[in-house]
Amino acid sequence: MEKVEVITNPSARYDAEGGGGIINIVLRKGKANGLNGSIILSAGDPETYGVSSSINKKSDTYNLFSNFGYNYRNNLGNSLTDAEYFNPDGTTSQFINERRTNERLREGYNMNFGIDLNLTESLTWTNALTFRENRGHNPNNVFFYNFDALKNPTFVRNRLNDERSEDFSIEYASNFVKKFKKDDHVLTLDIAVSSNRDNENSVITDQVIGDPTTLFSETTLNNQKQQRNLIQSDYVLPIGKDSRFEAGYRGSFLESLTKFEIQPASPYSNTLEYNEYVNALYMQYGSKINKFSYFFGLRFEDSNIDVNSLTSNSFNNKKYNNLFPSATFNYEFSESSSISLSYSKRINRPRGRFLNPFSSYSSNINIFQGNPDLDPSLTDAIDLGYLKRWDKLTFNTSAYINITNDSFQFIRKESGLFVNGVPVIVSTPINLANEYRAGFEFNLNYSPYKWWRLNGNFNFFRNETQGTFSYINYLDEVVTQNFDNVALTWFARINSKVTLPYKIDWQANATYNAPQTNAQGRSLGVASMNMAFSKDVLKDKGTIALNVSDLFNSRKRIMETNIPNIVNSYSEMQWRERQITLSFTYRFNRKKNERDRQPRRDDNGGDGDFMG
């Protein structure tokens, strides 16, 4: 790896979608001709094993590369929800404790083939073809423990959702790079075409334990198909010694169809068509004058989006144009100290389950529904940063303000439907008027000794939301919920890497997310830790590694929710339980840190999947 660039406020060159920073990894091209590669074997608990390999064949005129992989993994998860339901007059009607366990068993393979052609000394053409196929089995077992208003047990209901899935994707990518005589004077062109399908089907059985007459079953079908085409061109022109001009175009065209059916017939069945066509142009200019440097950019995006619920004949077309300016100023006090100020405008378009009116049926009393009428949110981001380096310590801090219009918020409300007298509660995203986030963060990188490296991050912020939401409930009453809320919270992360005797590397990282309030409740604090050991063997041609993810099995999402006169609930959700993995890597004619060739992805880090 040649260098890593951390971009906290991305410039106009990058996709305007997303609110986070970008990490650019710039790779060195291998200099040695010949055959090289690596193979990785891994196994773990819960049951996980896999094998992957990469092979390169390089000459002066071409570079052949390929990647093959097979994996089998079973990710265990669980959740619980304790809920107290109320009568319209505010008295308690009943209690329900929901306990859920699930497995996500996936078996699949991937293959990638490609070639770099050095057409001339200054022109390179790369072509790559990637296949992926997976099969999944996801049994989801839910127990509902029912109690009366005095907390006396009444009955236990069991709901088993036995889900199976198959998905396949194929992608072709082509890249041209033209280098001119002057250093960093480059023209690139990228074209990518991908297609994927994801088919799921479930058999759901539901009954009161001990009462066979209550048994009933349902089947669900969730089929998705997607086509994405991408074309992008970037031009970089150095001007003089310390100036640079950049310009480019990006076209992203996505068509997706999701068909969800429940049998017997259900109001939750739906067919959703989502088409997204985005054309973007950008230009930017930067220069350095002595110790001062600046960079200005402007990006224009034209968006045309269809969100059509074919089942209900609901058609939503959203056409909008946006300008996304960006600016960065930097002043170097010395080689080891600098200050920077940056601004950018970002957009967050809703996709996938945020839009799909129905996408999950594991529980029939706590249901998530998407909102096809969601609008994108726009964020103005300002960041003031300071960097200072010493011999063994690097300190980086920043203060930031993010102002978001039409921000996404999740609400819970009654649907008007009942299951055995229990009201069905729906969670759905909505657009609120405004969200203001202001805070500061600092990063420390400290190497007290050659054999010990520490780095940490602390982020403290104030988050304020403003807005109200109104709806008509099943009693034909207008319900207005006020989402005005102010929350102070923080999160911290620390990573330690120690070289033990016999050149064994020991790495540990811990994170803590502090509690945070919202308009309908709060999330509780959560701490977690990962740990890993690695050792090079066979004269550094091989590496043995042991990884433990979520060492204390504590990584959960914990929520308290209060909907007046409807329900109070406490919930915990653990998406993945602790995982232990042992792997062995063997390299031939390849350096340890040399990265495999990978197909190009979206600038905002996504892999292009619509329904995730």
Side-chain angles (χ1 to χ4, degrees):
M1 186 169 61
E2 186 170 295
K3 61 180 177 177
V4 175
E5 303 170 336
V6 180
I7 306 169
T8 57
N9 234 346
S11 68
R13 178 175 182 174
Y14 297 97
D15 191 355
E17 186 156 13
I22 291 174
I23 297 179
N24 269 355
I25 299 177
V26 182
L27 305 181
R28 290 191 184 98
K29 290 193 174 182
K31 297 181 179 179
N33 291 343
L35 187 68
N36 67 84
S38 65
I39 184 169
I40 303 174
L41 304 173
S42 62
D45 178 60
E47 188 178 10
T48 301
Y49 49 86
V51 57
S52 63
S53 66
S54 65
I55 300 174
N56 281 60
K57 177 66 169 67
K58 190 176 186 300
S59 73
D60 292 334
T61 57
Y62 69 87
N63 177 43
L64 284 169
F65 57 92
S66 63
N67 297 274
F68 304 91
Y70 169 83
N71 65 82
Y72 178 98
R73 61 183 184 273
N74 188 10
N75 295 318
L76 305 179
N78 64 81
S79 68
L80 65 85
T81 300
D82 294 342
E84 179 182 7
Y85 293 87
F86 300 98
N87 296 310
D89 61 2
T91 60
T92 299
S93 63
Q94 61 183 314
F95 296 86
I96 298 179
N97 294 343
E98 179 180 323
R99 300 293 182 268
R100 180 194 309 249
T101 58
N102 62 278
E103 300 179 46
R104 294 188 307 281
L105 191 154
R106 274 178 93 76
E107 181 181 26
Y109 69 87
N110 62 276
M111 295 184 293
N112 170 243
F113 306 91
I115 184 170
D116 298 319
L117 295 172
N118 300 321
L119 302 180
T120 67
E121 289 186 359
S122 63
L123 180 61
T124 304
W125 182 26
T126 300
N127 291 274
L129 190 62
T130 303
F131 302 88
R132 294 184 183 88
E133 185 171 25
N134 290 281
R135 297 176 183 269
H137 184 203
N138 183 11
N140 197 313
N141 202 11
V142 188
F143 288 87
F144 301 90
Y145 297 89
N146 290 256
F147 305 85
D148 63 20
L150 299 177
K151 212 62 183 295
N152 297 311
T154 53
F155 63 92
V156 179
R157 190 163 62 88
N158 175 233
R159 182 177 179 84
L160 176 63
N161 182 350
D162 191 14
E163 177 188 287
R164 299 179 184 273
S165 63
E166 294 183 356
D167 63 80
F168 176 80
S169 66
I170 182 172
E171 177 183 15
Y172 167 72
S174 184
N175 165 254
F176 290 89
V177 178
K178 170 62 177 177
K179 294 183 178 180
F180 300 93
K181 292 183 178 180
K182 190 170 184 177
D183 289 344
D184 297 326
H185 187 189
V186 180
L187 174 66
T188 62
L189 174 65
D190 289 276
I191 300 172
V193 179
S194 64
S195 176
N196 75 282
R197 66 173 188 269
D198 188 353
N199 297 332
E200 298 177 357
N201 63 82
S202 298
V203 176
I204 302 173
T205 57
D206 195 316
Q207 78 169 104
V208 174
I209 294 178
D211 186 356
T213 63
T214 62
L215 176 65
F216 73 94
S217 64
E218 297 170 291
T219 61
T220 67
L221 180 72
N222 191 351
N223 291 343
Q224 308 164 14
K225 61 180 180 179
Q226 172 187 290
Q227 177 73 36
R228 177 187 282 276
N229 300 321
L230 175 70
I231 181 170
Q232 180 166 330
S233 181
D234 300 290
Y235 177 68
V236 180
L237 174 65
I239 300 174
K241 181 180 179 182
D242 296 316
S243 300
R244 188 175 67 189
F245 171 79
E246 298 181 10
Y249 162 81
R250 185 177 193 268
S252 177
F253 313 103
L254 169 69
E255 296 181 352
S256 178
L257 184 69
T258 302
K259 184 176 183 180
F260 186 87
E261 288 186 355
I262 301 176
Q263 294 294 337
S266 166
Y268 298 121
S269 296
N270 183 68
T271 299
L272 181 76
E273 181 183 61
Y274 180 87
N275 299 324
E276 178 185 287
Y277 311 104
V278 181
N279 289 280
L281 294 168
Y282 78 89
M283 63 176 59
Q284 54 189 24
Y285 175 80
S287 185
K288 183 176 182 181
I289 305 172
N290 297 322
K291 295 183 177 183
F292 176 74
S293 61
Y294 61 88
F295 216 74
F296 295 106
L298 183 64
R299 186 180 185 91
F300 169 79
E301 289 192 357
D302 176 81
S303 304
N304 185 0
I305 297 174
D306 293 315
V307 185
N308 303 323
S309 178
L310 303 184
T311 302
S312 59
N313 289 321
S314 174
F315 299 92
N316 294 274
N317 177 257
K318 299 180 184 295
K319 292 183 179 181
Y320 48 88
N321 300 318
N322 300 98
L323 288 173
F324 300 95
S326 63
T328 299
F329 305 93
N330 189 80
Y331 183 80
E332 296 179 356
F333 298 104
S334 66
E335 291 184 358
S336 61
S337 177
S338 64
I339 189 171
S340 64
L341 175 66
S342 63
Y343 164 81
S344 69
K345 181 180 282 291
R346 315 294 295 162
I347 189 171
N348 187 10
R349 298 182 182 90
R351 288 190 179 93
R353 64 194 303 264
F354 275 62
L355 296 170
N356 196 343
F358 195 76
S359 60
S360 176
Y361 201 50
S362 297
S363 170
N364 59 352
I365 62 173
N366 290 293
I367 290 176
F368 180 90
Q369 283 187 322
N371 179 2
D373 199 37
L374 270 183
D375 292 320
S377 62
L378 291 167
T379 299
D380 292 287
I382 303 172
D383 186 280
L384 175 64
Y386 174 74
L387 174 68
K388 175 65 176 176
R389 296 186 183 94
W390 293 271
D391 289 340
K392 296 183 178 181
L393 176 66
T394 299
F395 175 72
N396 187 7
T397 186
S398 67
Y400 59 87
I401 299 175
N402 293 341
I403 302 173
T404 302
N405 296 317
D406 291 328
S407 65
F408 305 151
Q409 294 290 323
F410 288 92
I411 65 162
R412 298 191 74 200
K413 63 178 183 177
E414 76 274 29
S415 67
L417 301 176
F418 294 82
V419 176
N420 298 324
V422 179
V424 176
I425 304 300
V426 171
S427 298
T428 190
I430 62 170
N431 288 114
L432 278 184
N434 296 300
E435 178 179 316
Y436 305 93
R437 174 175 293 198
F440 71 89
E441 68 172 329
F442 64 81
N443 297 275
L444 290 172
N445 290 278
Y446 180 48
S447 300
Y449 306 100
K450 291 183 179 180
W451 48 267
W452 189 13
R453 286 188 299 170
L454 284 167
N455 61 73
N457 169 263
F458 177 81
N459 192 322
F460 177 86
F461 60 92
R462 178 186 186 270
N463 196 70
E464 178 180 353
T465 57
Q466 296 178 351
T468 58
F469 174 73
S470 298
Y471 67 95
I472 299 176
N473 65 11
Y474 67 100
L475 298 175
D476 203 30
E477 301 170 335
V478 177
V479 178
T480 299
Q481 299 179 4
N482 187 340
F483 283 86
D484 292 349
N485 182 70
V486 175
L488 295 173
T489 190
W490 57 276
F491 65 85
R493 179 170 48 248
I494 186 169
N495 183 77
S496 172
K497 186 174 182 181
V498 177
T499 301
L500 300 173
Y502 304 103
K503 295 184 179 181
I504 297 174
D505 286 334
W506 169 34
Q507 187 166 342
N509 64 71
T511 60
Y512 178 73
N513 291 286
Q516 181 176 351
T517 60
N518 58 62
Q520 290 188 320
R522 66 172 185 148
S523 60
L524 277 63
V526 174
S528 63
M529 176 177 283
N530 301 325
M531 189 173 293
F533 296 89
S534 65
K535 166 68 175 172
D536 291 338
V537 295
L538 304 176
K539 298 181 180 180
D540 291 343
K541 291 183 177 181
T543 300
I544 299 174
L546 176 67
N547 291 273
V548 183
S549 176
D550 195 9
L551 179 65
F552 299 108
N553 208 33
S554 59
R555 189 176 293 130
K556 300 178 181 181
R557 182 182 181 187
I558 306 176
M559 301 289 296
E560 292 177 347
T561 303
N562 175 29
I563 307 178
N565 294 330
I566 300 176
V567 64
N568 282 342
S569 67
Y570 169 88
S571 64
E572 296 181 6
M573 196 276 282
Q574 187 174 18
W575 176 251
R576 180 180 291 110
E577 297 178 7
R578 176 176 50 229
Q579 182 108 31
I580 303 173
T581 306
L582 179 67
S583 65
F584 172 72
T585 302
Y586 181 77
R587 299 170 290 274
F588 58 94
N589 299 329
R590 174 177 293 188
K591 295 181 180 180
K592 179 180 178 180
N593 294 322
E594 189 172 338
R595 299 284 293 264
D596 295 336
R597 287 297 306 268
Q598 298 292 337
R600 184 185 178 97
R601 293 295 177 196
D602 292 338
D603 283 331
N604 59 350
D607 60 5
D609 290 341
F610 168 63
M611 309 298 290

